Amino acid sequence: MDYDRIRPVRFLTGVLKWWRLWPRKESISTPDWTNWQAYALHVPFTFLFVLLLWLEAIRSRDIQHTADVLLICLTTTALGGKMINIWKYAHVAQGILFEWSTCDLFELRSKQEVDMWRFEHRRFNRVIMFYCLCSVGVIPLIVIQPLFDIPNRLPFWMWTPFDWQQPVLFWYAFIYQVTTIPIICICNVTMDVVNWYLMLHLSLCLRMLGQRLSKLQHDDKDLREKFLELVHLHQRLKQQALGIEIFISKSTFTQILSPVLQDLPGFAAMMQYLVAMIMQVMLPTIYGNAVIDSASMLTDSLYNSDWPDMNSRMRRLVLMFMVYLNRPVTLKAGGFFHIGLPLFTKTMNQAYSLLALLLNMNQ
């Protein structure tokens, strides 16, 4: 059926291409470490900003000030790691997206499949719009607040080779941060959303496979060919799941290990930031859990097919494939954590336990 299977992610990859975080060539099999335009864009902004933050934290003699600077240090350092990760593995994700959009094996062949894709795409777009509003909406609150402070104060503390608290020199540091902060935010949000879409699309393909397995009929003349095609589809999805895990593993791992808490100006900014941080941990687990659920339903889908009336050879093939399907399809973060809803609840529980411990220590 004529439907763009990866419609939501095309704009996102276009944004990443503009920021030189995604391969500009369609067919590339290795990382492009000679992308000098990417270095020219991100070294003076993202990576230099990270360096200046760490220098401020190292040179500080006030423990409280050091702790405040380290909060944003950890966030920007994780972002730098995510950029290096996407430079290294973007060709893997690009190959998977290209296969999903062009390969006949993943073509939508019924109205039911097209409706499922459209519904999930619309829901994904609404979720992402809300997430982007929460994330990007914090930027004006961060950069406008310091303009009303006396004496002058930067949005984030960082080391500079000059005294930025002087009225004239302040504007150099302030303009640098006003330029850098939106770049960091847009790149971070876009990279996260691409990761989530890959997991969503993988879960949709597994649901599509389950629907096709349940529709197998014993009197179909092309039963064997259709069955073997679905087995091949499942094998390709498992291989793609490994590729997706390589692409998202390190970035999701850093997202889990370094939850960010910032001293944002005002209650509204804090609430927006809190929602954005929770969604950064929750959405990957939701889409990762969808992959697990969709894969676990394949056995039931195949059992619901017309296998009792198939010939003995086909029943043996079906039995062998059902035994093979007992091996779950899961994605891991950092090779340790299974990305699913239990991971979200465990992360939230550990965060609350740490908060309770800190409160007890203060008392």
Side-chain angles (χ1 to χ4, degrees):
M1 308 263 315
D2 187 16
Y3 181 74
D4 188 357
R5 287 161 270 175
I6 60 170
R7 179 185 296 178
V9 83
R10 292 192 186 276
F11 173 75
L12 301 172
T13 55
V15 173
L16 292 178
K17 285 181 181 179
W18 198 88
W19 292 107
R20 302 300 187 267
L21 293 172
W22 196 263
R24 302 188 70 84
K25 298 180 181 179
E26 292 297 333
S27 57
I28 181 173
S29 57
T30 56
D32 183 13
W33 296 112
T34 61
N35 188 3
W36 64 269
Q37 293 177 327
Y39 304 143
L41 176 62
H42 291 288
V43 168
F45 291 103
T46 305
F47 293 102
L48 178 59
F49 185 57
V50 173
L51 177 61
L52 296 177
L53 289 171
W54 278 108
L55 287 175
E56 176 68 21
I58 293 172
R59 292 169 61 90
S60 174
R61 297 182 180 180
D62 187 330
I63 296 178
Q64 183 61 44
H65 177 70
T66 302
D68 293 339
V69 177
L70 281 176
L71 291 177
I72 190 63
C73 272
L74 294 175
T75 307
T76 52
T77 303
L79 173 62
K82 288 162 69 174
M83 286 185 173
I84 296 174
N85 178 78
I86 201 171
W87 281 335
K88 185 176 181 180
Y89 296 113
H91 67 282
V92 177
Q94 185 187 50
I96 294 173
L97 291 173
F98 181 78
E99 185 177 6
W100 281 341
S101 62
T102 59
C103 183
D104 293 337
L105 195 62
F106 299 94
E107 182 182 2
L108 305 181
R109 300 175 183 175
S110 67
K111 186 177 182 301
Q112 181 184 8
E113 293 176 357
V114 173
D115 291 341
M116 179 175 66
W117 246 257
R118 284 177 175 166
F119 175 78
E120 293 297 338
H121 281 180
R122 286 196 298 266
R123 185 163 65 175
F124 180 80
N125 288 334
R126 289 194 292 266
V127 171
I128 297 312
M129 287 181 63
F130 180 70
Y131 170 64
C132 292
L133 289 174
C134 290
S135 301
V136 181
V138 178
I139 296 177
L141 300 172
I142 292 177
V143 300
I144 293 175
Q145 174 73 23
L147 295 177
F148 298 94
D149 290 339
I150 299 176
N152 295 329
R153 186 174 67 88
L154 293 174
F156 297 111
W157 289 90
M158 70 176 187
W159 178 83
T160 57
F162 52 86
D163 184 7
W164 59 263
Q165 293 183 345
Q166 297 297 324
V168 177
L169 299 177
F170 165 77
W171 292 104
Y172 292 103
F174 180 77
I175 292 173
Y176 174 76
Q177 287 202 6
V178 169
T179 305
T180 303
I181 291 172
I183 294 176
I184 290 176
C185 182
I186 292 173
C187 293
N188 187 37
V189 168
T190 309
M191 288 188 292
D192 286 343
V193 175
V194 169
N195 290 354
W196 304 341
Y197 180 80
L198 290 171
M199 291 187 282
L200 169 65
H201 197 106
L202 179 61
S203 68
L204 287 174
C205 289
L206 289 168
R207 288 166 59 183
M208 177 184 71
L209 174 60
Q211 293 175 1
R212 293 180 181 179
L213 286 171
S214 64
K215 292 180 181 178
L216 292 175
Q217 298 293 327
H218 76 282
D219 55 354
D220 192 335
K221 295 181 180 180
D222 301 325
L223 175 61
R224 188 173 185 273
E225 289 74 12
K226 290 182 178 179
F227 178 77
L228 294 179
E229 181 187 40
L230 296 179
V231 173
H232 177 58
L233 175 60
H234 183 263
Q235 292 175 341
R236 286 299 307 139
L237 290 175
K238 292 203 71 171
Q239 293 173 0
Q240 289 173 351
L242 293 177
I244 293 173
E245 182 176 316
I246 291 173
F247 180 70
I248 71 173
S249 176
K250 294 181 177 62
S251 60
T252 306
F253 187 66
T254 57
Q255 208 91 312
I256 295 170
L257 292 185
S258 58
V260 183
L261 297 174
Q262 297 179 2
D263 184 17
L264 301 178
F267 176 77
M270 178 60 73
M271 290 303 298
Q272 284 186 339
Y273 185 81
L274 178 63
V275 172
M277 291 301 101
I278 291 177
M279 292 180 69
Q280 276 194 342
V281 179
M282 181 178 67
L283 289 179
T285 60
I286 289 177
Y287 294 123
N289 199 76
V291 172
I292 298 174
D293 290 342
S294 299
S296 63
M297 291 189 296
L298 294 178
T299 304
D300 293 336
S301 300
L302 183 56
Y303 183 81
N304 292 331
S305 67
D306 197 17
W307 65 268
D309 296 325
M310 299 178 187
N311 57 52
S312 59
R313 183 179 181 183
M314 279 302 306
R315 288 200 298 269
R316 284 195 297 270
L317 288 174
V318 170
L319 177 60
M320 293 171 61
F321 189 51
M322 290 183 70
V323 173
Y324 176 72
L325 289 177
N326 288 330
R327 300 176 61 184
V329 178
T330 61
L331 305 175
K332 294 182 179 179
F336 296 101
F337 305 110
H338 291 281
I339 304 176
L341 289 177
L343 176 60
F344 173 72
T345 56
K346 184 177 181 180
T347 303
M348 293 296 102
N349 181 63
Q350 290 178 344
Y352 176 77
S353 300
L354 178 60
L355 176 63
L357 176 62
L358 294 176
L359 292 175
N360 291 331
M361 291 178 63
N362 289 334
Q363 293 176 357

